[in-house]
Amino acid sequence: MEDILAVDVSPAMLGAGLARHNAASPTSLSGNAPALRAWTGDIESVPTYQGPVDAVFFNSVFGNVHDQRGALDAASGLARPGGRVVLSHPLGRAWHGRLRAADPEAVPHALPDAGALDALIAGLPLRVVSLIDEADCYAAVLEVPPGFALPAPLLLEAPVVAGFGRGSRQLGTPTANLPPDQVVGAFGPAGPSLGVYFGWARLLDPDPEGSAPADAAPYPAVLNVGRRPTFEGQAGGDLTVEVHVLHRYAADFYGRPLRVAVGGFLRPERRFAGGVPALVAQIAADIGMARAALGGPEHAGLRGMVE
Ligand code: ADP
Ligand code: RBF
Ligand code: MG
């Protein structure tokens, strides 16, 4: 069996689902055994640490979801890179339309047709893979962008500049800001995809009076290249390149050059409606994904690029 997280606003419905499942295939809920877990609440209340998941299914429910765009945004954030979001209704548009006519309060939305679907996901990190919209069957398959190893690793090197002073104080993740104009050229003529990358980072020119020598070693890192829409409003602020090094340094290192070898892209930047706690949980997940990717054979040579 697969790992499944069942999500419903109704504890009674969740209980019924769990009872039916456990009767059919009793499993241990302890340890790392694949299991059916339950979360009471709507999709936007599911914390990121429950993911990342291969796929999010909205089966026979999407028309009942009041904030469909918010739900899709939350779903895209729970899915792994390349993961899917599926909207399905096995009885299709005609049946759903009659249900909606009978109780428009419980079913505020029609199933989205191709145009409505495009409008719903505009600006979200989702694309339509396929859409079946027939009288007796509805299924829309959406995909979040795949995490990708870059065609070749990128090398960034620039002195660390001051940012907003928010990384360490508000988020618990200090980010060494690099001047964007000195580093975005490395991402090619089309510029960087805004989002989170992983790689190795090393501080150059160790200051004899400052950091301990050990601080000049290469360490794993996560980078955000983006406009911080969680803080700066939907459109975001100026482009920043921020590197959170997975190491506890003895002292701050403003002005010192930082060299970063970027190995791949983890996810697009998002606006977190849940604010700081939601972003902090996502960054923790990003760090886990980065460590896993850096530990794999695909990126074995990356560390050497910053040495
Ligand atoms: P700012 O807004 O000025 O970038 P932050 O709160 O983001 O401030 O903190 C970043 C600064 O913290 C870096 O410029 C660097 O001097 C220091 N720092 C200490 N440890 C780290 C780390 N592990 N990763 C990144 N920066 C760190
Ligand atoms: N800010 C966002 O608004 N959305 C994000 O998805 C986002 N992801 C981040 C991921 C990582 C690994 C890091 C280090 C930062 C991220 N930030 C994101 C940037 C954050 O808003 C920024 O570091 C602080 O505002 C301090 O400048
Ligand atoms: Mg910073």
Side-chain angles (χ1 to χ4, degrees):
M1 100 149 234
E2 311 285 335
D3 266 313
I4 296 171
L5 178 68
V7 178
D8 204 303
V9 291
S10 156
M13 290 300 282
L14 275 178
L18 289 175
R20 188 190 293 187
H21 167 82
N22 289 339
S25 74
T27 52
S28 158
L29 286 179
S30 62
N32 294 321
L36 175 63
R37 293 171 284 143
W39 181 268
T40 309
D42 65 19
I43 184 82
E44 290 179 62
S45 74
V46 178
T48 314
Y49 64 71
Q50 293 283 356
V53 303
D54 294 320
V56 180
F57 291 94
F58 293 85
N59 185 45
S60 303
V61 73
F62 198 62
N64 305 71
V65 172
H66 284 250
D67 179 4
Q68 293 186 314
R69 193 177 157 84
L72 289 176
D73 191 15
S76 72
L78 282 170
R80 65 163 169 77
R84 300 285 169 98
V85 177
V86 180
L87 316 177
S88 58
H89 203 300
L91 299 176
R93 175 174 297 285
W95 188 93
H96 189 264
R98 288 195 293 277
L99 184 71
R100 182 160 179 249
D103 192 349
E105 205 179 322
V107 191
H109 300 290
L111 295 171
D113 61 16
L117 195 56
D118 285 341
L120 261 180
I121 64 175
L124 296 180
L126 287 168
R127 72 173 184 97
V128 179
V129 176
S130 62
L131 174 63
I132 298 170
D133 188 1
E134 293 165 4
D136 58 354
C137 176
Y138 179 93
V141 178
L142 313 174
E143 186 191 56
V144 307
F148 52 88
L150 303 165
L154 309 176
L155 200 58
L156 318 180
E157 188 175 318
V160 173
V161 296
F164 309 88
R166 184 192 292 140
S168 15
R169 281 197 285 283
Q170 242 184 301
L171 303 178
T173 46
T175 58
N177 292 42
L178 302 180
D181 52 325
Q182 290 188 39
V183 293
V184 291
F187 289 85
S193 295
L194 300 193
V196 183
Y197 296 77
F198 61 87
W200 286 89
R202 187 168 79 85
L203 208 48
L204 306 182
D205 305 333
D207 174 353
E209 292 172 69
S211 312
D215 278 355
Y219 300 107
V222 283
L223 293 71
N224 190 60
V225 180
R227 303 185 183 277
R228 307 162 309 286
T230 305
F231 297 95
E232 317 262 4
Q234 198 80 54
D238 291 341
L239 183 71
T240 52
V241 177
E242 308 180 47
V243 185
H244 173 58
V245 188
L246 302 177
H247 176 68
R248 196 174 287 277
Y249 287 91
D252 283 356
F253 45 84
Y254 288 105
R256 279 177 53 185
L258 186 69
R259 182 182 291 168
V260 187
V262 183
F265 181 81
L266 286 176
R267 66 170 177 90
E269 189 179 43
R270 295 178 56 217
R271 176 176 160 80
F272 287 89
V276 168
L279 175 57
V280 167
Q282 177 64 56
I283 291 175
D286 295 336
I287 290 171
M289 303 269 274
R291 286 199 191 275
L294 289 170
E298 205 185 336
H299 301 291
L302 199 62
R303 185 184 198 270
M305 283 183 64
V306 295
E307 276 170 346

